[in-house]
Amino acid sequence: MALIEHLERDNWKEFFSETFGYVLWTLRHDRFRHVGSAADDLRSWLALGGIPRVRHHLEWAMRMCEFPEERAIEVMKQVDQLVSDNRSELIGLARDGIIPGAGAPDAEGLSVADIDDALQRIERGERPFEEWMYAHGHTYDEVVEVYKSIDKWLVDHGIVDSPGPLPKRQ
């Protein structure tokens, strides 16, 4: 059954979320694995054009199937949520050339290449975001607030046990 047919059912959100996660896993680990037609639709759209192609095909299919406007809006909001929830995996797939880089989600205006460059700089001990903030007129206090906010999120989500050291005043 095609993906669009599943999106007409009552449990469509759960199915779509599970299929999306499974497709990302297959793209990373076994791209040519046999999958059902719904997963195959999503996998091919991602591989050929990334998230913009997924959006395009879903919008087209929902028009053809005459989805109620409320459901079409819900589906597109779910796409946004899935992209947000899986942003790092999508960026990694783009970085590894598995999905088109232009189709990978931007992170607040940053391209995949920008993020890759920033990660390499961070690995070398540089502080590219802090440098950017100072270069754009932000104060030390603002930089510290950003670090505190990020540290809180990392602790709240169990990624780190305790916050790291704050930057030294420049």
Side-chain angles (χ1 to χ4, degrees):
M1 187 181 298
L3 178 60
I4 195 67
E5 293 172 292
H6 286 283
L7 299 180
E8 293 176 309
R9 295 176 172 209
D10 289 338
N11 68 338
W12 70 272
K13 278 187 181 182
E14 180 181 344
F15 177 84
F16 192 26
S17 296
E18 289 174 3
T19 302
F20 195 87
Y22 178 66
V23 165
L24 294 181
W25 184 91
T26 61
L27 284 168
R28 167 70 59 208
H29 300 286
D30 190 0
R31 273 187 264 189
F32 305 106
R33 168 188 219 123
H34 178 72
V35 296
S37 60
D40 194 44
D41 288 346
L42 194 52
R43 178 176 59 184
S44 66
W45 300 338
L46 280 167
L48 293 174
I51 297 301
R53 189 170 183 111
V54 170
R55 290 182 204 281
H56 169 77
H57 278 282
L58 286 174
E59 288 171 352
W60 178 84
M62 288 188 293
R63 273 194 314 276
M64 300 284 61
C65 293
E66 298 179 351
F67 268 51
E69 186 175 344
E70 300 80 32
R71 175 62 61 92
I73 290 169
E74 281 185 79
V75 168
M76 298 315 289
K77 283 182 180 178
Q78 185 67 15
V79 170
D80 292 340
Q81 185 63 50
L82 292 169
V83 168
S84 177
D85 293 347
N86 296 282
R87 186 172 305 280
S88 61
E89 180 61 19
L90 289 163
I91 290 170
L93 289 168
R95 182 190 62 233
D96 296 341
I98 297 169
I99 65 173
D106 284 347
E108 302 301 322
L110 298 173
S111 70
V112 171
D114 293 334
I115 292 170
D116 197 36
D117 176 61
L119 292 174
Q120 290 173 5
R121 292 181 63 201
I122 290 167
E123 286 175 354
R124 292 191 303 259
E126 298 177 34
R127 295 178 173 256
F129 299 111
E130 186 177 327
E131 292 168 11
W132 179 90
M133 287 185 71
Y134 286 129
H136 286 84
H138 293 278
T139 66
Y140 170 78
D141 291 334
E142 291 171 317
V143 170
V144 167
E145 286 306 310
V146 169
Y147 275 106
K148 286 179 182 178
S149 176
I150 292 169
D151 285 344
K152 180 181 179 337
W153 185 88
L154 291 170
V155 170
D156 289 350
H157 286 83
I159 297 169
V160 298
D161 292 329
S162 63
L166 293 172
K168 295 186 183 351
R169 188 177 294 271
Q170 288 192 357

